[in-house]
Amino acid sequence: MKIIHVDMDQFFAAVEQRDNPELKGKPIAVGHDAERGVVSTASYEARRFGVHSAQSIQVAKRLCPQLIIVEPHFQRYKEVSAQLHGIFHDYTDLIEPISLDEAFLDVTENKKGIDLGVEIAREIKQRILETTGLTASAGVSYCKFLAKIASDWRKPDGLTVIHPDRALDFIAQLKVEKIWGVGNKTAEKMHRMGIFTGADLRKVSLARLTQEFGKMGSVFHEFANGIDTRPVISEWERKSVSCERTFEKDIFDNAAVTIHLYHTVLELVRRIEKADFEGHTLTLKVKFQDFQQITRSVTVDHILRTKEDILPLAKQLIGDVEFHSHPIRLLGLGVANQKSTTVHEDPRWVELELEFEPWPEA
């Protein structure tokens, strides 16, 4: 297998600096400059001060007083992303998008008959630069796990190859925080177990990892041993449609909650229509002032598509939430593709995990 992971460098920030020369070489953060704004992407000049994506705008400005906040231009980013995929398709149709600015490519059998994956990656990087004026980093290996890590190894404008013969040695010195699926809490637990590197992880038995981390334990075991059989999937079935918004100020009275719920329903309906999606489970997501978060879901036998379908159920779900003494910081709604196998006289209340997508203008 020859897998390439292409990841654009500081994508949103790079597009803004390209389109506005006055921003070049300056510390910028793409995001909404508000009390609860969040950094989408920070330029490398800003990162030197500790500014990073998913960070509060207010924290970022304290770290870097000269930081320039730039409002995002998502349509422009989508246009550049389309250019990237046009380049990718010149080499292979086995493309798995991860986001607007990164994707996996299976070039084992490629359209140009190039033997070496590194040569394809080098060509793609050069064409991206010539076409968009932006740099990309690429990782090349025999599996997705290692290609993903390799693309981040020499950023920006990097190109890293992890050959099968060197894979185990590479993984051995890898910090566990770099391994897919290892977040902060998992890393802390691994550290308490004496696991700090891939070599440490490889020494732990599959039984112990499964006992400690459930199904992910077997994934960690395989990754530590250089095993990742996941294919590059060029077509996938959408599982859900969702939207969420973080408010400038917490809301806690009936009128404000009702108004925001209504507008969230309208946004959700717009996204459902655009995706031509059919789902039967509505999920409400609420994050409170103290960052505690809950979800409430209901499954019905009919398709949830219109405002008339969704709004009454959304009101039922929010009616189960105590927000008068527990102000709401974030509100989200999502529809998932879980079809009822039986018809219920009353809606069936269930717990559901769903990835929510923020509103672009938030």
Side-chain angles (χ1 to χ4, degrees), residues 103-124:
F104 287 106
L105 287 68
D106 186 335
V107 296
T108 308
E109 301 291 337
N110 60 86
K111 295 179 180 179
K112 298 201 173 186
I114 301 175
D115 289 332
L116 297 178
V118 64
E119 293 301 324
I120 298 175
R122 187 174 287 115
E123 274 194 26
I124 288 174

Side-chain angles (χ1 to χ4, degrees), residues 25 53 68 123 162 234-235 240 249 274 307 344 347 358:
S53 58
I68 301 171
E123 274 194 26
I162 302 177
S234 57
E235 296 182 4
S240 65
K249 295 183 179 179
K274 183 177 180 180
K307 180 187 72 175
H344 301 273

